[in-house]
Amino acid sequence: MTGQASIPLSVPAMKAGAVDFVITPFRVQDMPDAVLLAIDRGRTARDGAEAMVALQALSASLTLRKHEVMALVTSGPMIKQSAAELGLSEITVKIHRGDVMQKMPSRSLADLLRFAELLCEDRPKR
């Protein structure tokens, strides 16, 4: 809350995590609205973090081979190419893919791809 607003004042506040920038004089409802918005955003962020922890736990339960299959399957090559790269039969890759999709749990390859992208985004950047 401030008596005078300026871009040089508001930009650092927003970068520091401010949800709203309330300028005086303000309506009585402006402050409760800003607080409720902050609570809602905090809840959404917490829910997202909890979902990410659950996804990481599911990923950690995969074997090394299943991680390799997941990485190949979600990176684009056909099953035949993935099998050749891993030195496995196509049916074995399909079985591993099915196991991965069941453990993650993915209803489709698109779901698995989304999970893989989320897990990659969460890794520390080098």
Side-chain angles (χ1 to χ4, degrees):
M1 178 171 39
T2 182
Q4 58 182 1
S6 68
I7 291 176
L9 185 62
S10 62
V11 169
M14 298 304 273
K15 283 184 177 181
V19 173
D20 202 350
F21 204 75
V22 181
I23 303 165
T24 57
F26 55 88
R27 296 177 309 127
V28 173
Q29 190 59 38
D30 286 347
M31 191 60 71
D33 287 348
V35 170
L36 289 174
L37 179 61
I39 290 170
D40 187 49
R41 285 191 185 170
R43 184 176 297 121
T44 301
R46 186 181 61 248
D47 291 348
E50 288 172 359
M52 193 63 205
V53 167
L55 185 60
Q56 289 169 335
L58 291 171
S59 176
S61 73
L62 298 176
T63 64
L64 177 60
R65 176 63 78 189
K66 288 184 182 8
H67 272 286
E68 292 171 337
V69 169
M70 181 177 166
L72 279 172
V73 167
T74 58
S75 66
M78 306 287 282
I79 294 291
K80 189 174 191 173
Q81 294 166 323
S82 297
E85 188 168 330
L86 293 170
L88 301 172
S89 69
E90 289 180 50
I91 192 70
T92 302
V93 171
K94 288 179 182 180
I95 290 168
H96 283 307
R97 181 189 62 189
D99 291 345
V100 168
M101 290 180 72
Q102 193 172 22
K103 278 191 172 187
M104 285 310 286
S106 306
R107 290 185 306 272
S108 66
L109 190 55
D111 284 346
L112 189 61
L113 182 59
R114 186 172 49 86
F115 292 151
E117 286 176 355
L118 287 171
L119 289 166
C120 279
E121 288 172 4
D122 192 55
R123 288 190 188 124
K125 306 292 187 253
R126 294 180 202 177

